[in-house]
Amino acid sequence: MSSMGRALYSVGFWIRETGQALDRLGCRLQGKNHFREQLSRHRTLMNVFDKSPIVDKDAFVAPSASIIGNVNVGPGSSIWYGCVLRGDANSISVGAGTNIQDNTLVHVAKSNLSGKVLPTLIGDNVTVGNSAVLHGCTVDDEAYIGPSATVLDGAHVEKHAIVDSGALVRQNTRIPSGEVWGGNPARFLRKVTEEERAFFSSSAVDYSKLAQVHAAENAKSLDETDFKKLLYKKNARDAEYDSLFSENLPKAA
């Protein structure tokens, strides 16, 4: 960041802090009758050191997700609610069309016991299920990581491979293409079926479309969402009234 950039950042920071200080002062002056709005300091994108996240304009990042440091998210990918991608000690790369579902943790390792540098590399059209943990590993294109699965340092999940729900893939394990692994520690279970192969691409497409819906909804202003809530409530009341009215109509002979 240039000297001018740092100066503008500092000015902006103090303006925002002053605004919050004035809000607190106003609340105290209003006494017990005040209404205090809690302002969240959550930042979806956050720099660490000199590294900042790079998110493609066509990617969706949920407002409660956290993307920190040296992280690159490709086009059409989606990072869902509660996810944390922390690229502080190393880098994280997420390809195109990949979906990382709610509450998943993706982290990196500067080195492991063997001294290897371990970024986390996630390919294109990968599906990562809810509450998974990916740590310093590589996941190739169109692989599937099941909900609550853990993939540890140096592990490599090849293309069209499946890590079953809740599995623990230990350090430096390689899961070959077209195989399903599960258990703790993860071991070979069976080969991937043709239906599962078709699922890899369809899951990526479905989540990409769903992410567009969520992105559009999250982009709406507060006024728009409040109006929509009132409209829904009115329509719900009208529908309820109509159903009650029709129930009380006299039955035809």
Side-chain angles (χ1 to χ4, degrees):
M1 186 183 293
S2 66
S3 298
M4 178 62 73
R6 284 195 296 269
L8 290 174
Y9 178 87
S10 298
V11 170
F13 173 81
W14 286 113
I15 289 174
R16 295 177 69 181
E17 289 294 318
T18 301
Q20 293 193 43
L22 289 172
D23 179 68
R24 291 192 292 269
L25 175 61
C27 289
R28 284 197 294 269
L29 292 174
Q30 288 179 323
K32 65 179 182 181
N33 298 315
H34 82 273
F35 170 78
R36 184 168 185 177
E37 181 181 5
Q38 296 297 322
L39 301 177
S40 173
R41 289 180 176 267
H42 172 77
R43 287 185 287 169
T44 301
L45 305 180
M46 190 178 88
N47 297 0
V48 170
F49 308 121
D50 61 338
K51 303 297 183 182
S52 58
I54 300 173
V55 178
D56 189 89
K57 62 182 178 62
D58 293 325
F60 167 66
V61 179
S64 60
S66 296
I67 299 182
I68 303 163
N70 192 2
V71 181
N72 195 314
V73 180
S77 288
S78 52
I79 313 299
W80 291 83
Y81 303 92
C83 288
V84 176
L85 280 67
R86 181 156 61 93
D88 46 9
N90 213 309
S91 64
I92 296 171
S93 175
V94 179
T98 287
N99 61 91
I100 300 180
Q101 297 173 22
D102 311 64
N103 297 319
T104 290
L105 170 65
V106 182
H107 194 218
V108 294
K110 191 171 183 179
S111 64
N112 61 6
L113 292 176
S114 60
K116 293 182 179 178
V117 176
L118 294 171
T120 296
L121 306 175
I122 304 171
D124 299 337
N125 299 323
V126 173
T127 293
V128 181
N130 303 322
S131 301
V133 175
L134 304 180
H135 197 278
C137 59
T138 298
V139 182
D140 287 343
D141 299 348
E142 296 188 355
Y144 176 83
I145 309 297
S148 299
T150 299
V151 185
L152 293 178
D153 300 27
H156 188 163
V157 181
E158 294 185 354
K159 184 174 182 178
H160 291 161
I162 294 177
V163 177
D164 207 7
S165 301
L168 173 63
V169 181
R170 299 175 72 176
Q171 293 183 358
N172 302 316
T173 301
R174 176 176 289 270
I175 298 181
S177 176
E179 293 187 1
V180 180
W181 284 48
N184 183 2
R187 63 190 186 282
F188 172 76
L189 299 179
R190 58 179 175 81
K191 291 289 188 178
V192 171
T193 65
E194 289 304 316
E195 291 79 5
E196 288 167 335
R197 285 182 183 274
F199 170 79
F200 292 127
S201 57
S202 66
S203 174
V205 171
D206 290 346
Y207 262 91
S208 183
K209 291 179 179 177
L210 185 60
Q212 293 175 19
V213 176
H214 281 257
E217 189 67 28
N218 279 290
K220 290 179 181 176
S221 67
L222 186 60
D223 290 340
E224 285 181 291
T225 55
D226 284 347
F227 175 75
K228 203 168 184 180
K229 287 176 186 176
L230 290 172
L231 194 62
Y232 282 157
K233 286 180 180 178
K234 180 182 182 303
N235 290 339
R237 286 197 300 269
D238 290 346
E240 183 180 8
Y241 175 80
D242 290 342
S243 64
L244 290 172
F245 182 72
S246 62
E247 289 173 5
N248 292 317
L249 285 174
K251 304 296 182 183

